[in-house]
Amino acid sequence: MKTKSLLLTLILMMGGSVVIAAPARHPSYEPKATKETPRHTQPVEGVTYPRVVEVSAIQRYDRDSLTTIPEPLGEPLVRLFGWRGERVSAQVLIEDPAGLKNVFIPPCVLTDATTGKAYPLEVNWVRYTRANGVLVGDILDPVTGPMSFEGVTRPIYLTFDIPREAMPETGKYEGDLKLFVNGQSRSIHLEVAVVNQVLPPPSEWGYHLDLWQHPDAVARWHDVPMWSREHLDFLKPLMQRLAAMGQKTITATLIDEAWNAQTYDWFRSMVKVTKRTDGSWAYDYSAFDTWVTFMRDEIGMKDAYIHCYTMVPWSLKFAYFDEATGQMMYPQWHTSSAEYEAFWGSFLTHFVEHLREKGWESRTRLALDERPDNLLLPALKIAQKYAPSLKIVAACDRPSQVNSAFDDVSYAYSISEQLVPLAEKRRAEGKLTTFYVCVYPNRPNTFMASDLAESEWLPLMSANYGLDGMLRWAYHSWVENPLVEQDFTSWPSGDTSLVYPGNRSSLRLEALRNGIESVEKIRIFREKASPEAKAALEGALKQFTVPRGAQAGIHEGDVRVIHAILNTVPAEE
């Protein structure tokens, strides 16, 4: 996360416990905009309403405006291309200047043209939340019974997971999406053509994706005790969605508020530390064990790295319960102090023993976030002294003599171009080099105000520069009620999360996943394609640079060029 001080007025520290003053559950509904936006509600000449029309899957559409997209000739048709095992997506609009008072979409399947076997098409309403006072379409809400919507336009987001057993070359899936709008029937025909290549399952993807998780937010939203079975049940679909993107890390916390209370919900420690009356230390790993076991066994992320934050928090405060006083203590220690070494020397010694007993030692990393070298050096000496088996992972603004030696480092997006020789050297040493985005850059990013194509563009940039993956600081650090508003203090709207309560995905997350899929396809394509196809791909990838990414309006075009190459140029077997 990028350093930014703020006071959470809704979080009160009371006797060492954390009380979060927030409503527990919220309905899914759409708020009113607080700022006026341009409206176009006049019927388009020559168009028969209600109508259904295909639009770009990586653009947003205003619910209160009619589009001027021409009426398609003949029956509306969505034609998609993808590899076996790939997820493909499309977006269609329902429009009616009279409003959308009664809309229903029955379940839809796409049928294998060769075998006749049917597979479900996932259909989601695009729903709106406020960002900077403006309604922004982002929430993907599963289609249920008849619905009525505000506005005159309603996007529908469609996804289809192409089976890996699809027939090579002749593979084709098709079906009709039926829609009932204001008492009238409409339909759109879908065809998915299968390219003769196989995308492996996400667990086998090479892209190193590190989206930070925040279990506390889920417990607060659903008003359930932390680490209860109910809490894990609410977490499960969200974490399964993350694993299906190829996530490679588990975010764990060793202390309270490693990031100095910069989110709506507290980042509580997963290890309870107690100083006994005799001066010795005791550790309760029950929350840590529950979380890691859940992610490994129930979510299936046994090969994930466990990133433990942090020996060097922003505040340099370290919470523990003091038996002698019966109170929580929050001392502030510099990393070069004797008190700091006493605290962490004992902690790390016991922690490594515990990890060894659980069989997790080789997958665990001590994680650091944007701390200067003068604080890191003393902490690293202590880590090497008391836990030499644990490697270091860090997010850093730029390379330094200290962090360049870490096992896994994510550097600021803005210097990605400068990382090419360092990444090559580190890769030869078996180390990972990725980039990260957070409150910056303004473009490209995954904010509510960002063009959707920027989310898909970002992973492709790393493919150009030869970086191993990307980090983003928040998968689900929810604001008070993201279904209503995504604004939070001075953060860019949407910066704190990519999913919504109730296991709702977002247009931004789906675009990001599409970009990661494309990078995985590029890896395979580079191994198997003809020299001519490779040359075309590398030429197109050269457009994915930091300077170009800062330009407005170029991202969708760049992404579509890559799609065309990967899906239409035949690859060698």
Side-chain angles (χ1 to χ4, degrees):
M1 303 181 196
K2 186 64 181 174
T3 305
K4 187 175 287 190
S5 297
L6 57 90
L7 176 64
L8 284 183
T9 58
L10 295 172
I11 299 183
L12 310 173
M13 293 301 299
M14 300 177 62
S17 63
V18 178
V19 178
I20 302 176
R25 292 183 176 87
H26 312 265
S28 174
Y29 67 93
E30 291 177 4
K32 301 292 183 182
T34 56
K35 296 180 181 178
E36 287 297 323
T37 55
R39 299 284 186 264
H40 169 71
T41 55
Q42 295 301 312
V44 178
E45 186 176 352
V47 171
T48 301
Y49 294 98
R51 74 161 178 168
V52 179
V53 60
E54 183 190 10
V55 292
S56 169
I58 43 179
Q59 287 188 20
R60 292 190 177 92
Y61 298 88
D62 183 4
R63 73 173 197 184
D64 296 314
S65 298
L66 295 170
T67 62
T68 57
I69 297 169
E71 188 82 1
L73 298 175
E75 284 294 314
L77 171 66
V78 173
R79 182 177 286 117
L80 300 170
F81 297 85
W83 293 19
R84 287 174 280 166
E86 182 180 357
R87 177 176 297 173
V88 293
S89 56
Q91 188 172 212
V92 297
L93 301 181
I94 304 174
E95 295 193 312
D96 195 329
L100 302 168
K101 305 303 181 185
N102 191 343
V103 183
F104 177 63
I105 305 177
C108 178
V109 298
L110 301 187
T111 302
D112 186 322
T114 304
T115 66
K117 189 174 181 179
Y119 297 86
L121 176 74
E122 183 178 334
V123 185
N124 286 281
W125 305 115
V126 176
R127 305 201 63 147
Y128 293 76
T129 185
R130 277 196 302 262
N132 303 310
V134 176
L135 291 179
V136 179
D138 191 54
I139 306 168
L140 296 182
D141 217 5
V143 166
T144 55
M147 299 288 291
S148 294
F149 295 106
E150 295 291 330
V152 293
T153 296
R154 177 60 45 167
I156 306 167
Y157 194 80
L158 312 173
T159 57
F160 183 69
D161 291 314
I162 302 175
R164 284 184 182 82
E165 65 269 21
M167 296 295 291
E169 298 180 347
T170 60
K172 182 180 179 182
Y173 297 83
E174 56 185 331
D176 292 299
L177 181 68
K178 302 291 184 182
L179 306 99
F180 298 91
V181 185
N182 297 343
Q184 299 188 52
S185 176
R186 296 288 185 268
S187 68
I188 190 164
H189 190 69
L190 296 100
E191 294 180 359
V192 177
V194 182
V195 178
N196 186 21
Q197 275 300 336
V198 180
L199 187 70
S203 60
E204 299 177 14
W205 292 355
Y207 198 75
H208 190 78
L209 179 66
D210 183 5
L211 300 182
W212 292 0
Q213 306 106 58
H214 194 168
D216 304 64
V218 175
R220 184 265 301 178
W221 178 271
H222 293 287
D223 191 24
V224 294
M226 285 288 292
W227 311 121
S228 63
R229 185 64 249 179
E230 294 89 347
H231 183 206
L232 299 179
D233 288 342
F234 283 121
L235 278 165
K236 190 168 186 176
L238 284 165
M239 296 303 103
Q240 288 174 329
R241 185 181 296 280
L242 182 59
M245 295 181 64
Q247 172 77 3
K248 296 295 188 290
T249 66
I250 300 168
T251 307
T253 49
L254 301 184
I255 63 169
D256 271 345
E257 264 316 314
W259 297 282
N260 202 27
Q262 68 167 1
T263 50
Y264 184 84
D265 293 293
W266 200 256
F267 260 103
R268 283 174 280 192
S269 175
M270 296 178 184
V271 180
K272 293 182 180 179
V273 182
T274 299
K275 188 174 185 179
R276 298 190 181 104
T277 53
D278 63 2
S280 64
W281 297 92
Y283 307 94
D284 180 353
Y285 299 107
S286 56
F288 178 83
D289 292 350
T290 297
W291 173 235
V292 174
T293 300
F294 167 75
M295 292 293 281
R296 287 173 57 87
D297 294 351
E298 296 193 42
I299 305 303
M301 293 176 58
K302 288 187 180 297
D303 294 329
Y305 293 104
I306 307 163
H307 286 187
C308 299
Y309 293 90
T310 177
M311 287 182 66
V312 191
W314 292 0
S315 65
L316 290 180
K317 291 182 179 180
F318 305 92
Y320 64 87
F321 181 77
D322 184 48
E323 281 189 345
T325 63
Q327 295 181 348
M328 289 294 298
M329 308 298 288
Y330 302 92
Q332 189 174 39
W333 297 318
H334 192 278
T335 56
S336 60
S337 68
E339 293 87 350
Y340 180 90
E341 179 170 359
F343 180 86
W344 280 106
S346 175
F347 195 140
L348 292 174
T349 299
H350 286 83
F351 188 48
V352 171
E353 291 175 357
H354 182 74
L355 292 171
R356 197 167 291 151
E357 291 174 1
K358 303 294 289 187
W360 300 340
E361 185 179 7
S362 66
R363 307 306 294 177
T364 301
R365 305 286 187 265
L366 295 176
L368 305 165
D369 181 38
E370 294 185 329
R371 298 293 80 205
D373 284 359
N374 69 309
L375 290 178
L376 291 180
L377 278 170
L380 293 172
K381 290 180 181 178
I382 292 170
Q384 183 62 31
K385 180 178 179 180
Y386 295 98
S389 63
L390 300 186
K391 295 181 179 179
I392 305 296
V393 58
C396 305
D397 286 337
R398 59 188 60 84
S400 74
Q401 187 174 3
V402 174
N403 65 51
S404 296
F406 293 166
D407 184 65
D408 177 351
V409 188
S410 190
Y411 293 110
Y413 163 86
S414 58
I415 65 166
S416 295
E417 195 163 3
Q418 304 167 34
L419 297 176
V420 174
L422 177 63
E424 291 176 353
K425 176 179 180 294
R426 287 172 50 79
R427 187 176 299 108
E429 298 170 349
K431 298 174 181 176
L432 292 167
T433 310
T434 64
F435 77 93
Y436 71 87
V437 292
C438 50
V439 301
Y440 66 87
N442 291 330
R443 182 187 302 115
N445 217 307
T446 62
F447 305 139
M448 298 293 286
S450 303
D451 288 346
L452 281 178
E454 295 174 29
S455 295
E456 191 163 348
W457 194 95
L458 280 165
L460 291 165
M461 183 276 295
S462 59
N464 176 36
Y465 290 138
L467 304 179
D468 297 307
M470 69 173 288
L471 175 154
R472 207 187 196 296
W473 75 268
Y475 176 62
H476 61 146
S477 281
W478 292 326
V479 300
E480 179 182 357
N481 190 347
L483 297 175
V484 173
E485 186 170 46
Q486 279 279 38
D487 298 343
F488 183 66
T489 64
S490 57
W491 300 111
S493 188
D495 187 47
T496 67
S497 63
L498 289 165
V499 289
Y500 291 85
N503 188 32
R504 295 173 174 91
S505 186
S506 71
L507 290 174
R508 294 171 297 138
L509 185 77
E510 295 303 318
L512 179 63
R513 189 187 189 281
N514 289 342
I516 294 169
E517 271 193 335
S518 291
V519 174
E520 186 63 21
K521 290 167 68 175
I522 287 168
R523 182 186 65 80
I524 298 169
F525 197 87
R526 282 169 167 164
E527 296 173 356
K528 296 187 175 182
S530 66
E532 295 78 12
K534 290 178 185 177
L537 174 65
E538 300 303 335
L541 277 177
K542 287 180 180 179
Q543 298 294 313
F544 289 78
T545 65
V546 169
R548 180 171 173 80
Q551 300 176 32
I554 57 90
H555 304 90
E556 183 171 2
D558 288 354
V559 166
R560 291 194 181 281
V561 169
I562 298 297
H563 286 182
I565 293 171
L566 294 176
N567 287 338
T568 61
V569 178
E572 294 178 346
E573 290 294 337

